[in-house]
Amino acid sequence: MTDTAHPTAAHLFDLSDNQLRARASLKWSTVEPDVLPAWVAEMDVMLASPIIDTLQNALLRHDAGYPGESDDVVQAFTSFAHDRWDWHIEPDHISFHVDAATAASKLMRHYAGPDRSVLIMPPVYNRFYDWLAGSGVKPVEVPLTDVPNGGFFDLDGIEAGLNAGTKVILLCNPHNPLGRVFSQHELSELAELAHRYDAVVLSDEIHAPMVYQGVEFTPWLTVSDAARNTGIALHTATKSWNFAGLKCGIAIRSATGPWPAELDPTMTRTDTGFWGLLATEASFRDSRPWIDTVRAHFQEQTQHLTKLVAEHLPGVTFHPPQASFLAWLNFRDTELTEEPADYFLREARVALSPGVNFGDAGRGYARLNMGTSTERLERIIAAMGVAWPPR
Ligand SMILES: Cc1ncc(COP(=O)(O)O)c(C=O)c1O
């Protein structure tokens, strides 16, 4: 059933603290009762109604076995990619996995060269470090440059890493935590380098459905021939439609690029979460009004946050993201000397993600989750403001 009625953000995010504290998932259930959580990337939102209907129907059918046919979910995803990003994907170039993490780990294990290393560009999604460790590979860190102004590839540093033998680049685009959407030009430069050094690019694009209006997202496999020859893309609906616990990762190849046999759909058919797969189909096919409302809300939250930070946290800066619901707050030019997330948890009872979790390049920063109502975002920043400047 298509969700034709445009839900409003005021309605979708209208959940009280008590309702959210009753949730058993990670963000709210693991903080103290007086703490406002703004850490892990879960949203304080109601699920899209087509997802609820799909899951309720599965429950009513007592239907919780292994995943069956995937033609419909493949069709849902390929149409979404075509309509939103002008990306033409062959149906048999897709396979489903437990989640993005599992697919990435398999790929890193497969493609890491003799030195068992993978190149990452911090500050970057904290769990990349765990994925690498779990895959038995070591990080080669090439920090993004000029992070206060958005974050850019250090092409010389990347070339040095590839020249030293690293065979895999784990790219994050749209970027967590910076919210950066890399341009076609930037990506094509990276693709040329990867191609020259015969490296594989794993492009984690799971935040892409939340790219803001007016921002162009270029999927890796549409960047250039060099990108197609080097890349595998990772997508999910679970992040953007907020059902990470249901599990479903999507890996996409090109006709000319790398693709190990263990990622083939015939091998991974029953790997993914069955309900995750059902919800993924309901997302990409039937829940476009929901994601459009949600991403417009995040775009507005970004503008609102700029004003709130200026008012309550003078001296703190952040570069407005172009996608998703994460803000990378910069405390480096302030008097705060301790880890910002520790300080605000103790003094403001607000839980942020510590910047250092995103690599050494994250020291002096904290990641704020603004995937909540405007009212709660205001309360979070006001609470931080009471503890500001540091005593
Ligand atoms: C960039 C990025 N990749 C992957 C994930 C996790 O994806 P999954 O739950 O499918 O492993 C996240 C979660 O926030 C993320 O931000």
Side-chain angles (χ1 to χ4, degrees):
M1 187 199 318
T2 303
D3 194 6
T4 43
H6 260 279
T8 64
H11 169 67
L12 289 179
F13 287 87
D14 184 19
L15 292 165
S16 67
D17 287 11
N18 281 345
Q19 285 173 305
L20 292 164
R21 285 193 203 281
R23 285 182 173 180
S25 48
L26 188 61
K27 182 181 177 189
W28 284 84
S29 73
T30 56
V31 294
E32 299 287 325
D34 64 332
V35 169
L36 276 175
W39 63 297
V40 67
E42 294 176 9
M43 304 172 201
D44 302 335
V45 71
M46 297 178 198
L47 292 173
S49 30
I51 296 176
I52 297 173
D53 293 344
T54 296
L55 296 176
Q56 275 174 340
N57 287 336
L59 200 52
L60 290 173
R61 291 194 306 269
H62 303 273
D63 188 6
Y66 295 115
E69 273 306 322
S70 59
D71 294 357
D72 290 346
V73 59
V74 166
Q75 163 69 23
F77 175 64
T78 55
S79 315
F80 188 89
H82 173 262
D83 297 347
R84 296 282 160 128
W85 310 312
D86 203 17
W87 180 15
H88 303 264
I89 307 172
E90 293 296 329
D92 59 354
H93 286 177
I94 290 181
S95 64
F96 294 96
H97 304 268
V98 178
D99 49 22
T102 311
S105 299
K106 276 190 185 177
L107 287 163
M108 292 190 291
R109 260 187 235 118
H110 189 97
Y111 288 111
D115 72 349
R116 309 308 290 157
S117 70
V118 168
L119 192 148
I120 55 173
M121 299 175 222
V124 76
Y125 174 47
N126 49 322
R127 300 226 46 227
F128 274 13
Y129 290 92
D130 304 327
W131 296 3
L132 266 65
S135 314
V137 298
K138 61 173 192 279
V140 170
E141 298 180 274
V142 182
L144 293 169
T145 64
D146 201 9
V147 167
N149 288 310
F152 301 84
F153 298 142
D154 171 4
L155 292 174
D156 292 340
I158 293 167
E159 178 155 22
L162 298 176
N163 197 25
T166 299
K167 286 289 170 205
V168 179
I169 298 174
L170 181 57
L171 173 68
C172 192
N173 179 41
H175 190 272
N176 171 2
L178 302 183
R180 218 358 204 114
V181 178
F182 295 102
S183 70
Q184 201 271 344
H185 177 70
E186 290 172 291
L187 294 168
S188 67
E189 289 183 324
L190 183 64
E192 285 306 321
L193 268 184
H195 196 230
R196 195 173 327 141
Y197 287 90
D198 206 15
V200 170
V201 177
L202 308 180
S203 185
D204 178 336
E205 302 176 351
I206 78 165
H207 291 263
M210 294 180 284
V211 167
Y212 299 162
Q213 201 172 21
V215 177
E216 192 171 349
F217 166 69
T218 312
W220 181 261
L221 297 180
T222 70
V223 166
S224 63
D225 283 340
R228 276 183 285 280
N229 289 337
T230 54
I232 295 174
L234 301 172
H235 277 255
T236 69
T238 63
K239 181 58 46 192
S240 299
W241 279 269
N242 206 37
F243 55 93
L246 290 186
K247 295 290 176 190
C248 182
I250 310 172
I252 309 106
R253 59 174 294 197
S254 80
T256 53
W259 191 247
E262 66 258 36
L263 247 70
D264 226 63
T266 49
M267 298 287 285
T268 69
R269 192 184 158 84
T270 56
D271 284 5
T272 194
F274 171 46
W275 285 17
L277 201 70
L278 294 180
T280 295
E281 182 181 328
S283 302
F284 287 122
R285 191 188 54 223
D286 304 326
S287 308
R288 296 184 189 192
W290 186 96
I291 196 66
D292 288 340
T293 299
V294 164
R295 70 194 179 111
H297 174 65
F298 295 153
Q299 192 159 7
E300 279 168 24
Q301 293 280 81
T302 294
Q303 285 164 14
H304 199 46
L305 184 63
T306 307
K307 290 189 210 125
L308 291 172
V309 167
E311 183 185 341
H312 295 279
L313 300 168
V316 179
T317 55
F318 82 104
H319 193 265
Q322 299 169 294
S324 201
F325 54 97
L326 306 167
W328 188 236
L329 301 181
N330 181 357
F331 297 89
R332 283 191 173 178
D333 301 324
T334 72
E335 304 144 49
L336 189 61
T337 47
E338 71 175 294
E339 166 59 50
D342 291 345
Y343 176 76
F344 286 108
L345 184 60
R346 192 183 64 240
E347 298 295 329
R349 307 304 280 156
V350 167
L352 304 168
S353 299
V356 285
N357 291 1
F358 300 77
D360 246 9
R363 211 165 282 287
Y365 287 83
R367 193 189 72 177
L368 170 84
N369 176 343
M370 48 176 182
T372 194
S373 65
T374 306
E375 180 273 330
R376 191 171 291 101
L377 181 67
E378 286 168 356
R379 259 195 292 142
I380 288 169
I381 303 299
M384 290 170 70
V386 171
W388 197 256
R391 288 173 271 277

